[in-house]
Amino acid sequence: MRNDVIDGRPTVQGLSIIDFHLHFRMPHDPLTRSLSGGQFGPSGTAARSGCEEFDAGQAARSAAVARTSAQWRTSWDFPDPEPMSADAGWEAEADRWVTELDHHGIEHAAFVTAGGNDAMTALVDRGAGRFLGMAAMADPFSPGAAHDFEAAVAGGGLRGLKLFAPLASSGMDDAAADPVWDVASRYNVPVLIHFGHCGSAGGVAHNAFSNPASLERAAKMYPEVTFVIPHFGIQHVQEVLFLMWACPNVVVDTSGSNQWVRYMAQRLTLEDLFRRFYETMGPERIVFGSDSSWFPRGFARRYLADQLRICWEMGMPAAELQQIFGGNAARLLKLDGWRPASDAAVVPGSPDAEEPR
């Protein structure tokens, strides 16, 4: 891909890129490591006490999952994750991310997990303006969840909340989560909620709380809060499209390889997803994310390249690509004063077009 510097700012194909969805130090974060399947080694599934047959079966399962993850990396030409023993500390990894952003022409990166809210705040500070961060938690129904979220936003400068619906103790339609949505409303920050299968091979395939249709109550009760569903909703594409039809404050992000399309009963491609969401919801409700996480892969440039190619070949004007690949993220994350580096990527009539360069 072509990287250019325009007025001292990095661009890719003339677009200012903001990545809405990355993970920091996934192998070291209990919240994300538990979802990794075989990607970073055994996930530590609890054994049945004194059951040798279970131990043998679990070992066989772990080996099979690890093979599936390795095959996936081979098919995408990704290197194996670095071993934990090679870890040089979070500061060194943060600095590697700055280098990655520079190398690939990414202006800002929004990390959605980092091993805790305090760790995320430290990461954002280390990024010197390049990094943005969200609070994250396993369960919005746990005692003190709303308090912790508010502290992370008001005191830690974080700009949203990341949840994994399959990890929660109740469905997103449960009113017990309203105090968390209240915080998002008061501080005008987005809520990113993972629905559908969770993690790499061997992760969570399905549970009672993984369907995004359960978000309708909260989205309608809190129309001022933007709820973002990552990965196009994974296997729940149909439910997400109707949810977005019913709730204008629900948007999707594009993050990850989206290889889940291979497991759908009907034929579905990444281009199909872009076309369907673009034609029904418009570019203002699609947000680019890469789901980049581990090294030495670093920034998953392949995902950005594939998504840009699809959008260009669909005939989208540059201004609409800029919305998807930067403008929408800037708006949701409140990057005050941000505008595309190139005038060609400004949407006519938008606030960006009215501001002087």
Side-chain angles (χ1 to χ4, degrees):
M1 289 188 295
R2 189 184 75 246
N3 292 3
D4 296 312
V5 176
I6 300 175
D7 289 342
R9 296 169 59 190
T11 66
V12 176
Q13 299 178 0
L15 304 173
S16 298
I17 306 296
I18 301 175
D19 190 339
F20 186 76
H21 189 143
L22 304 90
H23 296 273
F24 185 66
R25 289 174 70 77
M26 267 185 105
H28 302 267
D29 184 350
L31 178 62
T32 52
R33 184 176 172 83
S34 64
L35 301 170
S36 68
Q39 185 76 344
F40 305 120
S43 58
T45 302
R48 299 198 303 271
S49 178
C51 183
E52 293 182 4
E53 291 83 0
F54 175 86
D55 291 343
Q58 185 62 23
R61 175 189 180 278
S62 296
V65 164
R67 287 194 297 271
T68 301
S69 290
Q71 183 179 35
W72 170 76
R73 291 193 297 273
T74 297
S75 68
W76 286 84
D77 196 28
F78 291 150
D80 292 342
E82 292 173 346
M84 298 278 278
S85 59
D87 179 46
W90 77 267
E91 295 96 338
E93 188 160 332
D95 295 344
R96 289 178 78 178
W97 274 114
V98 173
T99 301
E100 281 290 295
L101 301 188
D102 290 341
H103 177 69
H104 294 288
I106 309 303
E107 186 163 43
H108 296 287
F111 290 89
V112 300
T113 61
N117 296 337
D118 291 342
M120 182 67 82
T121 297
L123 172 65
V124 171
D125 290 344
R126 182 115 183 152
R130 300 293 296 281
F131 299 162
L132 309 166
M134 294 190 191
M137 62 181 67
D139 191 2
F141 305 99
S142 62
H147 175 272
D148 292 346
F149 177 26
E150 184 163 14
V153 175
L158 303 187
R159 299 176 184 244
L161 176 65
K162 167 68 171 178
L163 298 171
F164 295 90
L167 299 184
S169 60
S170 187
M172 294 299 146
D173 53 357
D174 189 334
D178 285 356
V180 173
W181 315 144
D182 285 334
V183 174
S185 173
R186 289 200 305 275
Y187 290 92
N188 188 28
V189 295
V191 179
L192 176 67
I193 309 178
H194 182 110
F195 291 97
H197 90 70
C198 210
S200 58
V204 179
H206 174 78
N207 69 19
F209 308 135
S210 62
N211 194 312
S214 64
L215 187 59
E216 183 170 357
R217 174 199 171 273
K220 288 182 173 178
M221 284 282 292
Y222 293 87
E224 70 281 12
V225 175
T226 299
F227 293 92
V228 185
I229 299 177
H231 322 300
F232 292 104
I234 313 185
Q235 70 259 45
H236 299 291
V237 175
Q238 188 68 80
E239 289 89 342
V240 171
L241 283 165
F242 276 105
L243 178 64
M244 294 175 71
W245 169 81
C247 305
N249 55 324
V250 176
V251 306
V252 292
D253 89 17
T254 68
S255 59
S257 66
N258 289 294
Q259 64 156 341
W260 57 265
V261 297
R262 298 176 55 229
Y263 298 89
M264 299 296 285
Q266 73 278 19
R267 177 174 171 78
L268 189 65
T269 67
L270 183 59
E271 180 178 350
D272 295 331
L273 292 170
F274 267 99
R275 191 173 296 277
R276 186 61 55 85
F277 281 89
Y278 176 74
E279 291 176 350
T280 59
M281 303 301 160
E284 65 276 6
R285 297 176 73 184
I286 305 171
V287 187
F288 165 71
S290 72
D291 208 21
S292 298
S293 54
W294 42 272
F295 283 99
R297 183 187 67 172
F299 178 73
R301 188 178 182 90
R302 167 81 176 272
Y303 301 163
L304 174 61
D306 288 348
Q307 293 183 27
L308 283 170
R309 175 185 52 78
I310 286 170
C311 292
W312 286 119
E313 290 181 350
M314 284 174 58
M316 291 187 198
E320 291 186 348
L321 270 88
Q322 181 62 86
Q323 282 184 281
I324 293 172
F325 291 92
N328 295 334
R331 171 173 48 83
L332 290 173
L333 298 171
K334 296 192 293 187
L335 279 174
D336 297 334
W338 184 92
R339 57 167 291 143
S342 171
D343 286 330
V346 174
V347 178
S350 71
D352 290 338
E354 299 167 6
E355 295 178 5
R357 287 191 58 80

